[in-house]
Amino acid sequence: METIEKVFNLLTETPEYVSGQQIANKLNISRTAVWKAVSSLKQRGFLIEGKTRMGYRYLPSMKLNEDEIRRYLDPALDLTFETYEQIESTNDFCKKLALDSKISKPHIVLSEHQTGGHGRYGRSFFSPKGSGIYLSILLKINDDPIDPGLLTISSSLAVVKALEKLFRINCQLKWVNDIIVDNRKVAGILVEGVTDLQSGAMDHVIIGLGMNYMTDPARFLMTSGIVPDLSENTLIVQMSAETSLSQSF
């Protein structure tokens, strides 16, 4: 494990400030190595606060960060993913990836902003930057047939499970793929299939999730009176894990 990863793990596991000397002593490295590791983490986009005579403290970020997602993602899930600041549509991007035969394990595409996000029947899905989570999971289909309806239901229930687990709020499903909190839609699921041109059979499915959870946090995240101390990346990990584990291709 590299020094930068060791320092990152120590900071994320400690909510209070940790002095540079304490980090150096615990990891058996020099103060200079600590400073270089913290500087590198900041350059990668991590929010690390530093105060004189107090030390360093990690602050959860609301910006997509691949390193932070990997930090919390269970390696046993065997997922791959990629992140973008802007993309036309995560589902459409996955359709292009499905043409690549090298992708055999669940692959997740995330974006801060979609310029052409859409729901069922091509309806526009408003997905501005900094307003929520937009991701798609590309799954390879094995020989067993699938039921698209059941796939949508299981994916929606997986998201509901994650939300209720993290925020202790009550969620309802509407039209199978819409997730409702406090009588308001906060997320939508779009499941699409990709057909192999040679065989004519469906060989991939794409599970798209759009969640406008930052558009009005007072009505979503704080509905239960609880202000969650979660970063966007932590929530993404939970969404991805629950949704991927709910499928068995």
Side-chain angles (χ1 to χ4, degrees):
M1 184 182 297
E2 295 184 0
T3 298
I4 186 172
E5 186 176 354
K6 292 179 181 179
V7 172
F8 178 68
N9 289 341
L10 193 153
L11 289 173
T12 55
E13 292 168 358
T14 310
E16 61 273 1
Y17 287 95
V18 186
S19 71
Q21 189 60 58
Q22 288 176 313
I23 297 174
N25 292 340
K26 289 183 178 181
L27 301 181
N28 195 27
I29 58 178
S30 67
R31 287 286 300 275
T32 301
V34 172
W35 179 83
K36 288 183 177 179
V38 171
S39 297
S40 296
L41 289 169
K42 288 181 178 180
Q43 290 175 359
R44 293 188 183 185
F46 293 105
L47 297 179
I48 299 177
E49 185 180 44
K51 285 190 176 182
T52 305
R53 293 190 296 274
M54 294 185 68
Y56 303 103
R57 182 177 65 164
Y58 171 74
L59 301 174
S61 172
M62 297 309 292
K63 179 180 176 62
L64 285 179
N65 191 298
E66 183 175 338
D67 290 316
E68 185 174 356
I69 295 173
R70 290 190 183 281
R71 163 72 175 80
Y72 292 106
L73 192 64
D74 184 354
L77 292 176
D78 197 21
L79 301 172
T80 59
F81 65 91
E82 51 191 294
T83 63
Y84 296 91
E85 288 191 9
Q86 179 176 300
I87 203 171
E88 183 174 354
S89 162
T90 55
N91 263 37
D92 291 347
F93 189 84
C94 281
K95 289 177 185 177
K96 297 176 182 178
L97 288 179
L99 301 176
D100 186 352
S101 60
K102 296 179 181 179
I103 297 179
S104 58
K105 61 179 65 176
H107 186 76
I108 301 174
V109 175
L110 305 122
S111 181
E112 294 268 9
H113 168 46
Q114 292 185 122
T115 59
H118 60 85
R120 290 191 301 175
Y121 312 116
R123 294 169 180 160
S124 177
F125 185 85
F126 185 54
S127 42
K129 185 175 181 179
S131 67
I133 291 174
Y134 312 109
L135 68 84
S136 295
I137 304 176
L138 177 64
L139 298 168
K140 175 76 173 176
I141 298 176
N142 293 327
D143 296 330
D144 297 332
I146 66 167
D147 186 321
L150 291 178
L151 180 60
T152 300
I153 293 174
S154 63
S155 300
S156 297
L157 289 175
V159 173
V160 167
K161 179 181 178 182
L163 290 176
E164 293 184 338
K165 178 180 179 180
L166 290 171
F167 303 122
R168 302 206 297 269
I169 56 178
N170 294 319
C171 301
Q172 295 82 39
L173 289 180
K174 181 180 180 181
W175 308 120
V176 181
N177 65 320
D178 290 341
I179 298 169
I180 310 298
V181 174
D182 194 24
N183 297 316
R184 186 182 186 200
K185 178 179 176 179
V186 297
I189 301 290
L190 176 64
V191 175
E192 298 183 288
V194 180
T195 302
D196 181 88
L197 296 178
Q198 293 184 339
S199 66
M202 188 182 300
D203 61 354
H204 287 85
V205 291
I206 300 166
I207 303 172
L209 167 65
M211 181 180 297
N212 298 121
Y213 79 103
M214 285 300 292
T215 303
D216 188 354
R219 294 194 61 183
F220 176 33
L221 297 184
M222 302 176 193
T223 296
S224 62
I226 302 168
V227 182
D229 184 18
L230 290 169
S231 73
E232 178 181 14
N233 300 293
T234 306
L235 182 54
I236 285 171
V237 169
Q238 191 68 34
M239 296 290 117
S240 303
E242 293 289 354
T243 307
S244 298
L245 287 173
S246 72
Q247 316 307 330
S248 58
F249 298 117

